Amino acid sequence: WMLKEMAMEDFIPYIQRKIAAKMGDALGYGVCHGKGKPGSGESFKPEPRGIATALLAEASTPQVVEYDAADPLTYKKLTEARGKIKSGYGRGVAIYANSKTIWGDLANLTDKNGRPMFISDAQAGGVGRIFGLSVKEEDGMLDGEILMSNAQSGYLANINKTITLAAEDHIKDRVTDYAAYGIVDGDVV
């Protein structure tokens, strides 16, 4: 790694970018795996309800197609998963997975003739394409999870308090704390 000098006027925007990236990661987690509101007997802090959380909570998980080492990901499993998306949500569907799943599972998937199904295409708004759908990296997804979703039509977020960056100086300790705060709720449509 490289050590680089930074002017003080560059430091604050640098800190703001770092905090904004962390806030984005937290929002990504909420959209994918947020727990939602606690039910009776639960005591966690309310979060947006994530898409994976909602799908896995359905009786007999009708929208979920499973794969693992014993029953690996195949062309047929991907087409089965794509077929579960209602036609009204079909336009705008993308494939979301974390980097490990994209480059370990999706990018190595081939058809019966040995041709790769994953087409690298960073200009399409993701890292590649499968079935013409953009494949997008989302760190909120767990290893081995692949989500096909039209997030724009299938998920709603309500921003109750926009993200605010605050600084608090502690003169005696010669320390400044930077913190970001926002209130966002969301759920599957």
Side-chain angles (χ1 to χ4, degrees):
W1 60 276
M2 184 173 92
L3 187 59
K4 183 179 171 187
E5 258 185 72
M6 182 181 295
M8 194 58 189
E9 62 269 6
D10 295 332
F11 181 69
I12 301 302
Y14 168 79
I15 292 294
Q16 289 172 331
R17 286 191 304 274
K18 289 294 190 181
I19 291 175
K22 291 292 185 187
M23 294 290 287
D25 291 345
L27 291 170
Y29 158 80
V31 170
C32 296
H33 285 282
K35 296 176 188 174
K37 294 179 178 91
S40 62
E42 295 179 313
S43 62
F44 58 86
K45 195 172 186 180
E47 301 176 344
R49 187 168 73 134
I51 298 169
T53 304
L55 292 175
L56 292 170
E58 292 179 328
S60 74
T61 59
Q63 296 293 94
V64 176
V65 176
E66 294 189 20
Y67 75 97
D68 58 26
D71 186 17
L73 183 62
T74 61
Y75 178 87
K76 185 172 179 4
K77 286 187 181 287
L78 280 179
T79 58
E80 180 185 351
R82 176 60 182 92
K84 292 180 178 283
I85 298 172
K86 303 255 187 239
S87 60
Y89 294 99
R91 186 173 242 157
V93 170
I95 298 172
Y96 300 90
N98 68 19
S99 184
K100 181 177 179 182
T101 303
I102 290 171
W103 301 110
D105 296 339
L106 290 173
N108 295 309
L109 194 60
T110 58
D111 66 14
K112 63 183 175 189
N113 296 319
R115 294 179 301 218
M117 293 179 56
F118 179 86
I119 313 282
S120 184
D121 182 6
Q123 295 184 9
V127 294
R129 294 180 111 29
I130 293 179
F131 303 142
L133 304 176
S134 184
V135 177
K136 299 181 178 189
E137 285 187 77
E138 174 50 64
D139 288 335
M141 299 296 294
L142 302 177
D143 291 349
E145 283 184 333
I146 301 165
L147 174 67
M148 290 184 183
S149 174
N150 180 337
Q152 187 172 2
S153 295
Y155 194 86
L156 288 177
N158 183 22
I159 301 170
N160 297 305
K161 176 162 178 33
T162 58
I163 296 172
T164 303
L165 179 66
E168 181 179 1
D169 290 323
H170 304 279
I171 307 252
K172 285 186 177 180
D173 295 331
R174 293 181 187 95
V175 173
T176 302
D177 292 331
Y178 294 92
Y181 181 78
I183 300 174
V184 178
D185 193 13
D187 206 341
V188 176
V189 174

